Amino acid sequence: MKLSNFVRKIRNVCPSDCFACEEACAKKMGNLGSVINANQVRKAGVYKAITCLQCRKPECKDACPNDAIVQDEENGIVRVIQENCIGCETCIEACPHQNMLFDSNARMALKCDLCGGAPECVSACPYGALEFFRGDNIRSYLSDEDFLSPGTRACAGCPGELIYRFSQRILGSNTVFFGCPGCMTILMTGHETMAGSRLPYVSCLFTNVISTMTGTYRYYRHIGKEANLVAYIGDGCLSDIEFQALSAAAMRKEKLIVLCYDNEGYQNTGNQMSSTTAFGSLTTTSPVGGELHGKDRDSKYMPLIMVAHDISYVATASPAYLEDYARKLTKAMNVKDGMSYIHILTPCPTGWGFPIDKSIDVGKLAVETNYFPLWEYEQGVLRLTYKINTPQPIGDYTKLIGRYRHMNEDELQQLQRLVDKRFNKLGFYPQSLQQ
Ligand code: SF4
Ligand code: SF4
């Protein structure tokens, strides 16, 4: 399955005198001129596409009266055949994203063709501001069917919904979800007139999700049926209330997939702290004022606790790195024996206090500061799946988030030490610091 591949801006770092991307593109395009404008790149928001999207059904191609625009069946790239272009500008009007350009001297349409699959602007940028977003890599993991109806009532900007929708499309129809009261319940069950999922969902109590799954797995095995039995549960349930049942099922090597969406608190009941809430966080049960400075201890690192159970597969994941997550969930699905556990940090705009359009930025910075490193553990080996060469200081992450706003320099340094200590613990496992 192909598409949608494009170059996007991933960092707001462009100095005012840099034109390296534009120059690299101009060089590639020869005498036709660049299809990238560095000043527009400077103005673009983070994660915004700065090139043509290589649409799956390109309207520019459909509009062209002279078959001058073609799409490569293999890689989805849409390009102009210069000899066929008659300069009518129909494609310029047709592109809904204003991505077709026109060279009025040559009287010819121009567009980005991703340099055939290795965009030169990305490699030319000296500041790492650009990324080649490989949508077709991600889509290759997904079924076409979207099992979650539109109009869900999760909070605006919630990446927990993105992960749930995405997980369903990876897992497919032979899947039964299990959960308990939490932020995602209204998605999984639907509620009154609200939207819901078309995949079966077993609604459990906080204390019996994993044991209900175990019973279902044993019954399915008895009748010779196979299905993906998947928990989608928040950190409050898994790291606190349900932990005993989870640990026991892990030790028994039950064949279950457990996905923990970690929004670091009991967010649907009003932002109370959980075991995974980070040091310093302001929550309704770790307030700030007088002697109180938010949560006064480190968080519980659930994924390493699951490694200690030596189950079949453990991974961490982020909605900001969807291809990494898709690969990991696919691995979890293919585990033949025993439990798989994926711990997904899902930044919560409502409870953590950041704008609803910043969830992915926060998720990305969690990884880039080593606050939430991405790794996987299988067959006794733990390895990083996304290596950060120069981690950013933790202050770059906390400054985006309201729950840390009260922290002074000493407290930030303490949080930095905790982050470093946790990251160094990964080094105890073979191959952990290799990519
Ligand atoms: S030029 Fe416009 S319509 Fe054509 S593929 Fe690119 S974004 Fe789509
Ligand atoms: S080369 Fe990189 S830093 Fe320079 S303008 Fe282009 S995107 Fe920005």
Side-chain angles (χ1 to χ4, degrees):
M1 191 181 296
K2 55 182 186 284
L3 234 9
S4 171
N5 301 326
F6 50 85
V7 176
R8 65 178 183 176
K9 178 172 167 180
I10 55 168
R11 289 191 185 92
N12 252 336
V13 288
C14 303
S16 58
D17 59 349
C18 179
F19 292 86
C21 53
E22 188 173 323
E23 285 162 8
C25 184
K27 195 166 164 204
K28 174 76 191 351
M29 297 291 286
N31 53 9
L32 290 174
S34 173
V35 296
I36 292 187
N37 179 313
N39 284 330
Q40 282 174 6
V41 174
R42 264 181 274 285
K43 283 190 214 142
V46 171
Y47 303 119
K48 290 285 182 293
I50 60 146
T51 63
C52 160
L53 304 173
Q54 319 295 335
C55 304
R56 297 179 92 180
K57 293 188 177 133
E59 293 184 35
C60 56
K61 173 178 175 290
D62 291 348
C64 178
N66 209 39
D67 294 335
I69 299 177
V70 292
Q71 184 163 39
D72 189 298
E73 287 201 358
E74 275 295 299
N75 58 24
I77 290 175
V78 180
R79 65 186 175 87
V80 178
I81 302 176
Q82 294 180 3
E83 309 81 80
N84 289 4
C85 180
I86 53 173
C88 67
E89 301 187 48
T90 313
C91 56
I92 316 284
E93 294 292 320
C95 172
H97 310 287
Q98 288 85 49
N99 280 330
M100 284 299 303
L101 302 176
F102 192 70
D103 183 321
S104 37
N105 291 329
R107 298 224 42 86
M108 189 177 293
L110 300 179
K111 70 179 295 301
C112 170
D113 65 358
L114 295 172
C115 302
E120 305 227 353
C121 52
V122 175
S123 36
C125 174
Y127 300 96
L130 305 179
E131 174 187 76
F132 182 18
F133 179 78
R134 299 296 306 264
D136 59 354
N137 284 2
I138 294 177
R139 284 180 183 275
S140 68
Y141 290 98
L142 304 178
S143 65
D144 277 336
E145 197 169 0
D146 187 351
F147 298 97
L148 194 60
S149 52
T152 68
R153 296 292 293 268
C155 297
C158 174
E161 180 201 342
L162 171 68
I163 289 289
Y164 184 51
R165 189 184 293 277
F166 198 71
S167 303
Q168 291 191 329
R169 289 184 62 185
I170 295 167
L171 291 158
S173 56
N174 189 27
T175 300
V176 183
F177 272 95
F178 297 76
C180 59
C183 289
M184 292 296 111
T185 313
I186 52 170
L187 303 189
M188 299 168 91
T189 59
H191 181 54
E192 296 176 346
T193 56
M194 296 174 187
S197 166
R198 282 181 286 114
L199 291 180
Y201 169 68
V202 182
S203 184
C204 309
L205 302 174
F206 268 117
T207 47
N208 70 0
V209 186
I210 302 293
S211 40
T212 303
M213 293 176 78
T214 300
T216 308
Y217 167 63
R218 301 278 175 102
Y219 175 67
Y220 275 19
R221 193 174 61 186
H222 176 68
I223 62 172
K225 180 175 166 64
E226 286 205 15
N228 301 312
L229 303 182
V230 184
Y232 193 52
I233 319 180
D235 52 285
C237 174
L238 269 180
S239 67
D240 294 339
I241 305 167
E242 175 77 331
F243 181 73
Q244 181 185 6
L246 174 68
S247 175
M251 295 304 293
R252 292 195 307 268
K253 305 211 179 302
E254 305 290 352
K255 190 176 175 306
L256 309 174
I257 300 173
V258 180
L259 307 177
C260 177
Y261 60 90
D262 183 3
N263 49 25
E264 297 190 345
Y266 294 84
Q267 302 301 355
N268 69 315
T269 51
N271 187 27
Q272 294 86 6
M273 75 171 168
S274 76
S275 295
T276 67
T277 305
F279 168 78
S281 302
L282 163 67
T283 71
T284 48
T285 48
S286 57
V288 173
E291 299 285 296
L292 304 171
H293 283 251
K295 190 175 178 187
D296 61 358
R297 68 208 87 135
D298 196 8
S299 55
K300 184 191 273 187
Y301 197 32
M302 276 295 288
L304 262 195
I305 293 173
M306 298 313 289
V307 167
H309 287 74
D310 201 25
I311 57 177
S312 301
Y313 186 70
V314 183
T316 61
S318 162
Y321 297 83
L322 285 177
E323 188 180 343
D324 177 79
Y325 175 58
R327 198 181 52 73
K328 288 169 174 172
L329 184 54
T330 305
K331 275 195 179 184
M333 276 170 71
N334 292 325
V335 161
K336 296 277 175 274
D337 238 343
M339 183 182 284
S340 308
Y341 178 89
I342 305 182
H343 195 97
I344 309 142
L345 184 72
T346 52
C348 168
T350 312
W352 297 12
F354 59 80
I356 57 173
D357 61 348
K358 293 287 178 246
S359 305
I360 300 301
D361 300 59
V362 171
K364 196 138 194 150
L365 270 165
V367 173
E368 293 199 341
T369 53
N370 273 346
Y371 173 80
F372 191 78
L374 297 178
W375 51 264
E376 65 184 354
Y377 172 85
E378 54 189 336
Q379 296 175 350
V381 173
L382 187 154
R383 70 175 193 99
L384 292 175
T385 58
Y386 191 84
K387 193 170 176 187
I388 308 295
N389 290 327
T390 313
Q392 292 177 235
I394 193 64
D396 287 1
Y397 169 70
T398 55
K399 74 182 177 194
L400 294 181
I401 303 169
R403 60 167 27 185
Y404 299 115
R405 201 156 290 144
H406 60 280
M407 289 174 78
N408 59 35
E409 196 47 44
D410 284 349
E411 289 162 343
L412 279 177
Q413 279 181 17
Q414 188 170 347
L415 182 58
Q416 181 72 65
R417 283 193 293 276
L418 292 170
V419 167
D420 294 343
K421 184 173 152 198
R422 177 167 292 177
F423 185 77
N424 289 337
K425 274 187 193 161
L426 300 178
F428 287 117
Y429 292 88
Q431 294 185 21
S432 63
L433 298 179
Q434 295 171 23
Q435 199 161 15

